[in-house]
Amino acid sequence: MNKLFHTWLTNEFPQNYILRKPLTGSLIIALFFFIFVVLYKPLSTHESMGLSYTATMAIYCLIAAAAVFGFVKLIKQIGLFSEKSKWTFLKEVTSILLILLGLGLVIYLAAFLLEPPAERWNLATFLDSLTHAFLIGIIPFTFFTAIAYHHRSEEHTSELQSRPHLVCRLLLEKK
């Protein structure tokens, strides 16, 4: 069972769209965040600095998009994540978690600029920003990772159907 799990984590896996195309991916993230916060109005969010709620959330979403773009570009520069040919599910999940962690930090710091002065330098506010960035941000990343996984499994299935000898080889390897 452990070997199967290890194989699943380390086999080649396609990058999701947000990681593969950071500019359009970050714009998709901004649009998703904006629609989400305007429709849902989560977590007692409010307007700031004389701006309307919608304008405040639009600024936060643009900041989040810039952060996602920057973090994706930064992660692609790190040696562990730079090889597209060796992209695995483990790298996918790790890079998403790092991006969401950075996004939470950026949102936390952006609140110092956008919202009225208050007691923000505390662990509870920082963890609140991280939690909310993760809970909202995980939705689009999961969606695009699931699409990539589905696309991979369709390609794999069609490849196996076109080459029956591969099925035999795979079955023998599992024994």
Side-chain angles (χ1 to χ4, degrees):
M1 182 68 173
N2 282 340
K3 185 177 179 183
L4 180 64
F5 184 69
H6 180 269
T7 303
W8 186 69
L9 286 177
T10 57
N11 273 352
E12 192 173 326
F13 190 86
Q15 272 187 343
N16 79 40
Y17 187 79
I18 297 169
L19 299 174
R20 200 173 59 246
K21 305 277 188 183
L23 182 59
T24 50
S26 61
L27 294 175
I28 289 169
I29 291 276
L31 182 63
F32 173 80
F33 282 5
F34 185 72
I35 291 169
F36 184 85
V37 297
V38 168
L39 292 178
Y40 182 59
K41 294 187 181 179
L43 316 165
S44 305
T45 53
H46 53 83
E47 63 275 343
S48 64
M49 297 177 52
L51 299 171
S52 69
Y53 174 81
T54 305
T56 302
M57 293 304 116
I59 293 170
Y60 270 115
C61 291
L62 290 174
I63 290 170
V68 168
F69 178 78
F71 286 122
V72 170
K73 287 297 209 178
L74 180 65
I75 282 177
K76 286 185 170 195
Q77 298 302 314
I78 297 172
L80 178 65
F81 299 103
S82 62
E83 290 184 55
K84 266 189 185 176
S85 63
K86 288 291 196 176
W87 196 255
T88 64
F89 184 71
L90 186 60
K91 288 181 181 182
E92 178 92 4
V93 170
T94 304
S95 62
I96 290 170
L97 291 176
L98 289 172
I99 291 166
L100 291 175
L101 179 68
L103 180 61
L105 177 64
V106 167
I107 296 298
Y108 172 73
L109 295 173
F112 284 99
L113 300 173
L114 294 175
E115 299 194 20
E119 291 293 321
R120 295 194 185 287
W121 286 110
N122 58 58
L123 185 59
T125 305
F126 177 68
L127 292 175
D128 190 52
S129 293
L130 288 178
T131 302
H132 296 129
F134 182 82
L135 290 175
I136 297 171
I138 197 68
I139 297 168
F141 278 106
T142 302
F143 175 76
F144 284 105
T145 299
I147 287 174
Y149 179 75
H150 179 71
H151 181 69
R152 174 184 166 249
S153 60
E154 279 184 352
E155 282 181 351
H156 186 66
T157 302
S158 65
E159 180 182 333
L160 289 178
Q161 288 173 346
S162 67
R163 297 194 220 157
H165 66 280
L166 286 178
V167 175
C168 295
R169 192 173 83 204
L170 287 172
L171 289 173
L172 290 173
E173 285 177 3
K174 287 190 177 187
K175 288 183 180 183

